[in-house]
Amino acid sequence: MTDGNIVGTGERIQLLHGSGGLMMQRLIREIFFPAFGADNDAGFDDAAEITLHDGPLAFSTDSFVVKPLFFPGGDIGSLAVSGTVNDILMKGAKPYCLSLALIIEEGFPLAELKTIVKSLADTAKIADVRIVTGDTKVVGRGEIDGLVINTSGIGEILPNASISGVNARPGDVLLVSGEVGNHGIAVMAERNGLKLKGNIASDAAPLNASVIPMLERFGESVHVLRDPTRGGVAATINEIAEASKVTVLLDESSLPVGREVEAVSELLGFDPLYLPCEGRFLAFVDGGKAESILRFLREDAGCPDATQIGTVTETSNGEVLMTTVSGGQRIIDMPAGELLPRIC
Amino acid sequence: MNITNSLRDPAVIRALGAQLKNLSLSRKITLMEVCGTHTMALHRGGIPSLLPDTVRLLSGPGCPVCVTPASYIDRAQEIGKNYGVTLTSFGDMLRVPGNTKSLSESRSEGINVETVYSPLAALDMARKHPAIEVVFLAVGFETTVPPIAMTVMNARDQGIDNFSILTAHKLIMPALELLVNDSDVRVDGFILPGHVSLILGSEPYRPIAEKYSRACVITGFETADIIQGIIMLAQQIEISQPSVEIQYCRAVKKDGNPQARGVIDTVFEPADSEWRGFGTIPLSGLNLREEFADFDASKKFPVEVNAETVQTGCRCGDVLRGRIEPAECALFGRNCTPEHPVGPCMVSSEGTCAAHYKYSRTR
């Protein structure tokens, strides 16, 4: 298949690709359907038909406006699948299917679109989730910045999971599944044109392979799950502390921050605690089970850098404190204002 | 292991923290960190919670955004409004309140304001868009002046005539001298700014130690640096032998950076300058020299600005002079928060009120 086959008139997206006519049909038939394994005829039905078992479902949606579209370790496609898949997982649910909507700017290079579609498909495969329905719109040049993606998804909540941001309680231990801040630094460095030689790559990835086995084995002991996306670890823990009405005490010396992330954060003036991750989770777990869960994550669930970073000390109005390396103590606050625009 | 790595060695930091906590002094002392970067760094490191009862720490006037007067913001807005120029600024300035509104608010009303990370980026913008007048808001102490001076020289050498700067540069020494002469401010020693001293060296501070008998330590920005600086100051005060010591010796030389001072001197000349909270301090600012007048936005785009400052109840001025601590201001944490700042000390990432609110307030 060549580009000429698809468009016949060039290698960029035209308004006609969103007009509902022949060119749109060909775009969908020749690029989207093969990537997502859709049926060439039934694929054009107005809605997907799905059958689920009984029991509660998790349903989530997310839009992606990341700039730039391609960054070390990922692109808007891998992000768009991981983002929604992880949100469903954080409710203790196994992702089942996704919808996918693309809004494309006229003139968008077809080759880039193909790369992103492949990335969407590959990530969906890793996440063991099907993209079952979709939509494509094309808007005029300058009306949006390249490409915007929305994904929504449904998952089935695991029978032994009862997970919510209000469930943290004194005695809980706070675990993080790996190094923090990598996604934020990868995107900001790319956007600022920093040529980084080191190994900074976005952590964007679906979390199925670690979360599902952890819940199957320790579901009852996991009280809160949350992926620290916008606002990073600091904002996420603040949200949970407030919702659960507890005090969380972090230990600065145990925070897993990579050397490169630390160095670039210093250069750009960021605090890694506030940088978004797209492939990490925070778990508030029963204190008595924390060690077993941590060992399981490290040895059997593909999270070798998982570590304990804090504890829930008492009930309160919701505050987050940190013991600093010097032995002092300070507040970890909600970020005020816009720190990092268009990071996901 | 290099020096910075050893300063970050948790064992070193923990040991210094314990040393500070157990510091035994014969009397109560008050120290002031002059620089906003120190304010943030020491709160981030949890240092206030380690101070013994005998050591009180005050913040000083070294946050450039904080001491920029409201009338400067007003002038920038008037220039933006009346001449349709594009204002370019470091991000911190955008939310600083002027007498009626902040630049961020004016931007939403249609004035062109762009955030840049360096003055060169503003010059680049002017080069790429010859039809647009680009005005860079030149704010900062001695540390930020050399790159801005270089940018102005570049603009002249490259014949870029749609670029100019609106200066509100400040010099640290005149403010320090004012503080040591202020009978309301009783400071025994100064944690002196590391970055500014890279340019100035240690010599200019000598009168502070010798004439005014205040302890002085030029200090770095790691938690370990600051703890060490505090301990060195306490020792100077304890033996009543004030001097200018350099804790930040891996970066600061006694004579500073003469080349950088030369660049400043080529482009700028000292001038009286208005400071928020202090009023006008003689020869405490920098204006462009006559031969660079074409790049002076205040001459290129004349506007009328009311010199009076609207009273809001904000006590940033007293905070900047070390007269009060943030919590003593009636607005702190109530009407004035990082989300809805009334005064600049709550806006800037180096502001004293922002540091106290973000890291050390009690809820």
Side-chain angles (χ1 to χ4, degrees):
Chain A
M1 174 166 59
T2 68
D3 290 350
N5 272 345
I6 296 158
V7 288
T9 49
E11 300 193 342
R12 290 180 180 274
I13 290 293
Q14 304 167 34
L15 280 173
L16 285 172
H17 284 118
S19 66
L22 206 56
M23 278 180 69
M24 187 171 106
Q25 269 219 10
R26 289 178 67 173
L27 178 76
I28 293 171
R29 216 186 273 281
E30 294 177 28
I31 293 191
F32 294 124
F33 279 5
F36 304 134
D39 186 300
N40 252 336
D41 299 315
F44 280 103
D45 287 350
D46 278 344
E49 185 176 319
I50 51 178
T51 310
L52 294 168
H53 304 295
D54 288 341
L57 301 176
F59 177 40
S60 186
T61 187
D62 209 341
S63 298
F64 299 86
V65 298
V66 65
K67 182 182 182 178
L69 297 174
F70 297 89
F71 45 84
D75 58 40
I76 190 171
S78 57
L79 200 59
V81 172
S82 306
T84 295
V85 160
N86 291 346
D87 283 349
I88 294 169
L89 286 165
M90 294 302 104
K91 192 62 193 159
K94 186 176 183 320
Y96 180 76
C97 61
L98 295 182
S99 71
L100 167 69
L102 294 98
I103 304 175
I104 313 171
E105 184 187 9
E106 179 189 14
F108 192 81
L110 203 60
E112 287 190 17
L113 183 66
K114 282 183 181 174
T115 307
I116 289 164
V117 168
K118 178 172 184 333
S119 169
L120 283 159
D122 289 350
T123 314
K125 194 170 277 180
I126 294 169
D128 192 21
V129 67
R130 288 194 311 135
I131 294 172
V132 295
T133 184
D135 179 52
T136 311
K137 296 280 189 303
V138 179
V139 297
R141 203 178 273 274
E143 290 174 6
I144 56 162
D145 189 1
L147 172 68
V148 172
I149 298 182
N150 172 278
T151 54
S152 300
I154 295 176
E156 292 169 303
I157 294 181
L158 297 181
N160 62 343
S162 168
I163 288 164
S164 163
V166 302
N167 287 350
R169 60 200 81 157
D172 276 3
V173 160
L174 172 57
L175 308 177
V176 65
S177 65
E179 284 181 358
V180 300
N182 301 35
H183 176 72
I185 286 295
V187 173
M188 288 311 288
E190 186 73 15
R191 195 189 300 170
N192 286 300
L194 294 183
K195 299 278 176 273
L196 299 176
K197 277 193 198 142
N199 306 313
I200 296 186
S202 166
D203 48 69
L207 291 163
N208 309 52
S210 43
V211 171
I212 302 275
M214 174 181 76
L215 290 177
E216 281 170 353
R217 181 134 172 214
F218 298 101
E220 293 82 0
S221 304
V222 179
H223 301 153
V224 185
L225 279 178
R226 194 69 64 87
D227 54 341
T229 53
R230 271 173 298 176
V233 169
T236 306
I237 299 177
N238 265 285
E239 284 164 18
I240 294 166
E242 201 165 300
S244 293
K245 300 197 171 19
V246 293
T247 296
V248 181
L249 180 63
L250 303 181
D251 175 12
E252 185 174 28
S253 57
S254 68
L255 289 173
V257 180
R259 288 175 71 98
E260 290 95 346
V261 169
E262 192 176 304
V264 180
S265 294
E266 249 184 62
L267 190 67
L268 297 177
F270 299 134
D271 182 340
L273 267 180
Y274 292 87
L275 290 173
C277 312
E278 291 288 343
R280 303 284 183 252
F281 63 87
L282 294 165
F284 286 78
V285 304
D286 189 293
K289 287 278 166 40
E291 231 171 281
S292 317
I293 297 175
L294 195 54
R295 197 176 324 118
F296 180 78
L297 284 174
R298 284 177 178 164
E299 292 170 10
D300 302 314
C303 302
D305 298 323
T307 187
Q308 170 176 342
I309 59 168
T311 51
V312 178
T313 55
E314 58 189 349
T315 55
S316 69
N317 286 331
E319 61 176 2
V320 184
L321 304 170
M322 182 161 84
T323 304
T324 59
V325 176
S326 63
Q329 201 176 75
R330 68 165 166 98
I331 291 172
I332 301 292
D333 208 4
M334 272 302 251
E338 186 181 58
L339 288 177
L340 301 174
R342 295 187 58 184
I343 202 81
C344 57
Chain B
M1 185 181 273
N2 68 31
I3 297 172
T4 311
N5 279 347
S6 73
L7 285 168
R8 291 196 179 165
D9 181 346
V12 172
I13 300 172
R14 215 168 311 145
L16 279 166
Q19 201 183 336
L20 176 61
K21 210 168 178 174
N22 298 320
L23 198 64
S24 150
L25 297 175
S26 56
R27 68 177 178 94
K28 288 195 172 186
I29 64 172
T30 301
L31 307 178
M32 175 182 278
E33 87 276 358
V34 174
C35 169
T37 311
H38 275 144
T39 306
M40 264 303 160
L42 70 90
H43 280 274
R44 244 191 107 183
I47 293 177
S49 70
L50 292 170
L51 291 174
D53 293 341
T54 44
V55 179
R56 182 171 177 235
L57 206 49
L58 290 177
S59 300
C63 158
V65 168
C66 304
V67 295
T68 301
S71 60
Y72 175 85
I73 309 282
D74 297 347
R75 181 175 297 277
Q77 286 166 338
E78 285 299 308
I79 290 176
K81 199 163 73 186
N82 295 345
Y83 294 95
V85 308
T86 294
L87 301 171
T88 53
S89 168
F90 297 134
D92 260 14
M93 287 294 291
L94 261 56
R95 295 176 64 225
V96 175
N99 274 322
T100 52
K101 61 187 82 149
S102 67
L103 286 167
S104 171
E105 286 167 290
S106 331
R107 178 165 66 178
S108 67
E109 292 168 9
I111 292 182
N112 297 319
V113 185
E114 299 271 348
T115 309
V116 290
Y117 285 97
S118 79
L120 280 172
L123 183 60
D124 260 352
M125 192 184 293
R127 186 184 295 115
K128 283 182 191 146
H129 306 281
I132 295 173
E133 281 288 347
V134 176
V135 175
F136 179 71
L137 304 184
V139 168
F141 284 90
E142 284 91 336
T143 332
T144 40
V145 185
I148 293 171
M150 293 293 294
T151 306
V152 172
M153 285 158 81
N154 283 352
R156 183 194 57 182
D157 297 346
Q158 296 165 15
I160 300 175
D161 58 7
N162 58 325
F163 174 80
S164 57
I165 67 171
L166 188 64
T167 56
H169 286 304
K170 300 280 184 270
L171 302 173
I172 199 70
M173 281 312 299
L176 274 181
E177 278 171 37
L178 198 97
L179 281 173
V180 290
N181 282 309
D182 183 341
S183 56
D184 288 343
V185 182
R186 305 223 48 85
V187 174
D188 301 293
F190 291 100
I191 300 173
L192 291 174
H195 293 151
V196 167
S197 305
L198 283 174
I199 311 288
L200 294 184
S202 60
E203 282 304 292
Y205 304 115
R206 262 174 61 178
I208 306 289
E210 292 172 7
K211 185 172 164 201
Y212 298 102
S213 301
R214 305 303 214 283
C216 293
V217 175
I218 296 169
T219 307
F221 297 98
E222 299 286 331
T223 300
D225 285 323
I226 301 173
I227 295 177
Q228 206 171 34
I230 293 172
I231 294 171
M232 287 165 76
L233 283 168
Q235 281 162 350
Q236 278 191 34
I237 297 164
E238 194 69 5
I239 59 171
S240 303
Q241 283 180 11
S243 64
V244 182
E245 288 184 278
I246 305 178
Q247 181 279 334
Y248 196 30
C249 52
R250 63 185 184 278
V252 173
K253 296 196 193 78
K254 205 172 164 195
D255 68 339
N257 185 337
Q259 287 95 336
R261 290 201 300 274
V263 170
I264 296 176
D265 200 44
T266 305
V267 177
F268 293 100
E269 61 189 355
D272 297 352
S273 181
E274 190 196 343
W275 296 53
R276 200 184 287 241
F278 289 73
T280 297
I281 307 180
L283 300 180
S284 67
L286 291 171
N287 282 357
L288 283 166
R289 288 186 181 278
E290 192 50 43
E291 52 267 46
F292 292 93
D294 290 349
F295 300 95
D296 189 336
S298 65
K299 291 183 177 148
K300 201 170 175 182
F301 307 108
V303 289
E304 288 293 317
V305 171
N306 194 344
E308 268 178 50
T309 301
V310 175
Q311 296 304 318
T312 57
C314 163
R315 297 186 68 190
C316 277
D318 289 329
V319 171
L320 290 165
R321 299 188 75 148
R323 284 177 169 165
I324 63 166
E325 292 191 54
E328 294 172 65
C329 172
L331 303 183
F332 179 80
R334 297 177 190 90
N335 311 48
C336 183
T337 61
E339 219 173 325
H340 300 288
V342 178
C345 298
M346 190 58 97
V347 175
S348 169
S349 62
E350 300 194 339
T352 306
C353 297
H356 278 250
Y357 188 89
K358 192 168 160 58
Y359 294 132
S360 304
R361 75 185 183 281
T362 44
R363 298 189 207 197

